[in-house]
Amino acid sequence: MRPRHIFSTVAATLLLGLPAQADRLPLDALSAYFNAMKTAEAAFTQINDDGSISTGRVYIKRPGKVRFEYDPPEQAMVLASANTVAIFDGRSNQPPETYPLHRTPLSVILDRTVDLGRAEMVVGHDYDGIATTVTAQDPEHPEYGQIELRFTAEPVELRQWIIDDGSGARTTVVLGEMQTGHPLTNLMFDIRYHMDQQY
């Protein structure tokens, strides 16, 4: 199903502003942006590896928690918490597919402390006249794939990510206006709770 590719496949872009070439955002500023983020939520558009498009809303609670709610006709939800990713398919009677969060490139920005300056973590740091793009990976496990993060400035804001799962499959997630600082309960991300509710 398409949501399975959220951690293993690609995205397009919704970018505003035209900062000068000298405005490539430094890695320490981007690390600080994530480390200051406690909660965030935004509408998203997901472009899957096969070209299909899904929409929904994403909720982030750092460290280690994320929730993707897909709009109809999708009947899917993806949760990450307790170092586990679970993919719920509302059309199936089977328990969710699960796998370790640390095996997904998204874990790079969900870590308790984000340090993009860590040796061999960032393998690309570019600026195209519109946005700063950082390509990062787990330096100890590059085989887990990469995440390409796209930021605008003034203020710093994450606008998009592209996940490459290491096998060539790519998924793009384009974020709408991101709201930060709103309280999000841990229950929203509790995989066991949602399994008990659904099965």
Side-chain angles (χ1 to χ4, degrees), residues 108-129:
V108 169
I109 65 173
L110 293 176
D111 280 349
R112 183 170 300 277
T113 301
V114 175
D115 180 10
L116 295 175
R118 182 178 168 192
E120 298 182 9
M121 173 169 280
V122 170
V123 295
H125 185 198
D126 303 302
Y127 178 71
D128 63 5

Side-chain angles (χ1 to χ4, degrees), residues 130-146:
I130 297 175
T132 297
T133 301
V134 172
T135 304
Q137 63 184 13
D138 181 341
E140 297 177 4
H141 295 282
E143 70 274 15
Y144 293 165
Q146 299 179 341

